[in-house]
Amino acid sequence: MGNTRDKNFNIPAKLGQNRGKVKASSFLQSYKKDAIKCMYYCKPVMQEALLWYSTWWGPFILLILCYISNIIFLFFEYLSQDNKSLAMSKACSMVSTMWSSYISFWHGQTFTGLENIPKTGGAVIVWYHGPMPVDYFGLIAEVFKRDGRIINTVVDKCLLRVPGLGRVRKYLRCGAFSKVECAGLLGDGELVGLAPGGSREALFDDSYSVCWRQRVGFAKIAAFTQSPIIPVFTENIRLSYCTMLSAGAVWRTIFEVTRLPIVPIYGGFPVQVTTHIGSPIMAREGETLMQLQERVKMAMTDLIRTHQRPDVDIKTGLGQRLGKIMLGVENNK
């Protein structure tokens, strides 16, 4: 009797223990499901963080090349006591060869429609702004090698504050030119290059949507000087260098408040880039500036739709480049 009574008293305790085990098991299962969900949603962030950690130094290669260019200009400037124009022409030639060699070797840059950029006379070159303008550096070098012409480039004012690049800005003609200055350059038969999307397009347009908003300055100077507008887009430019998509709202807010391009950039991936140069576009009689801007924007969009495959990622781009390299090696045998 005594043993039976003890056993009956232990039944509630055992039931309490079982209930505790069931609650702990359900909690662990719920925690496991939440952890799996968290890992599923965090996987892209973790992958991007790993890519940034592995390739954060990539964009600095371009900055190093800019400083090397500045040293070359300083060196030739020092030696140019007798004939400065000839010396600086040789310096520009050396710098363009350096940039062209690097971009051709690392990114295999090629050009289509280069004949659309005139060898004489003024023209407005409107280019799509990738995260890093490595493709535009290649275009400047290619035009100089072909014609001996320097493209006058309109840049953001914040880039004028970068120390130690004064000679690069001077001899490669980079500046925050006003519309009047641009019109004067075009009137003198010079080439003017600009990216209407600017920093906003470079940093936040991850879908090649052409972020020009209501900017019509390039249309105004082209219509005023009757100069052709030439759209330029580089295939895979957003695969060679990338901006951090994680916490994009934070980076966008910082940019909109400060107007400083404080967004992590990574990459330098040796994907194949091809610069496509569209047909010249002339202003029509009676056409408004906004209508002209829309026509140029449509031409840029057509270049993107024709040449940029939306399903290509970094891995695929690297595979395509490797395939072309191996094909070239086989052809040379």
Side-chain angles (χ1 to χ4, degrees), residues 59-125:
F60 287 95
I61 294 177
L62 299 185
L63 185 61
I64 291 170
L65 289 177
C66 286
Y67 279 109
I68 293 174
S69 301
N70 201 81
I71 292 171
I72 292 173
F73 284 128
L74 282 170
F75 178 73
F76 275 84
E77 200 176 56
Y78 175 76
L79 297 178
S80 62
Q81 298 179 359
D82 297 330
N83 193 336
K84 186 174 181 178
S85 61
L86 178 61
M88 300 321 297
S89 178
K90 289 182 179 179
C92 288
S93 179
M94 182 178 292
V95 169
S96 66
T97 300
M98 180 187 69
W99 278 101
S100 181
S101 299
Y102 164 73
I103 299 169
S104 178
F105 168 75
W106 193 246
H107 295 290
Q109 185 179 25
T110 56
F111 300 88
T112 64
L114 190 62
E115 67 278 359
N116 290 325
I117 297 179
K119 295 185 177 182
T120 59
V124 181
I125 298 174

Side-chain angles (χ1 to χ4, degrees), residues 2-159:
N3 293 335
T4 303
R5 190 185 309 171
D6 292 341
K7 289 180 181 178
N8 290 337
F9 278 126
N10 289 334
I11 288 174
K14 290 181 178 178
L15 288 174
Q17 290 177 359
N18 291 335
R19 288 173 184 169
K21 289 180 180 179
V22 170
K23 288 182 179 180
S25 177
S26 62
F27 173 77
L28 289 174
Q29 289 179 357
S30 176
Y31 178 79
K32 186 177 180 180
K33 288 181 181 178
D34 291 341
I36 292 173
K37 287 182 180 179
C38 182
M39 289 189 68
Y40 175 78
Y41 288 113
C42 290
K43 186 178 179 181
V45 177
M46 295 169 64
Q47 288 178 340
E48 188 174 43
L50 181 61
L51 275 176
W52 177 84
Y53 181 76
S54 304
T55 62
W56 61 267
W57 48 267
F60 287 95
I61 294 177
L62 299 185
L63 185 61
I64 291 170
L65 289 177
C66 286
Y67 279 109
I68 293 174
S69 301
N70 201 81
I71 292 171
I72 292 173
F73 284 128
L74 282 170
F75 178 73
F76 275 84
E77 200 176 56
Y78 175 76
L79 297 178
S80 62
Q81 298 179 359
D82 297 330
N83 193 336
K84 186 174 181 178
S85 61
L86 178 61
M88 300 321 297
S89 178
K90 289 182 179 179
C92 288
S93 179
M94 182 178 292
V95 169
S96 66
T97 300
M98 180 187 69
W99 278 101
S100 181
S101 299
Y102 164 73
I103 299 169
S104 178
F105 168 75
W106 193 246
H107 295 290
Q109 185 179 25
T110 56
F111 300 88
T112 64
L114 190 62
E115 67 278 359
N116 290 325
I117 297 179
K119 295 185 177 182
T120 59
V124 181
I125 298 174
V126 173
W127 52 286
Y128 177 86
H129 203 318
M132 295 295 288
V134 59
D135 56 323
Y136 184 68
F137 290 152
L139 179 64
I140 292 174
E142 191 68 19
V143 171
F144 182 82
K145 285 167 58 180
R146 188 191 70 171
D147 308 323
R149 307 184 74 188
I150 295 290
I151 301 174
N152 298 268
T153 305
V154 180
V155 300
D156 194 282
K157 291 181 180 179
C158 69
L159 296 179

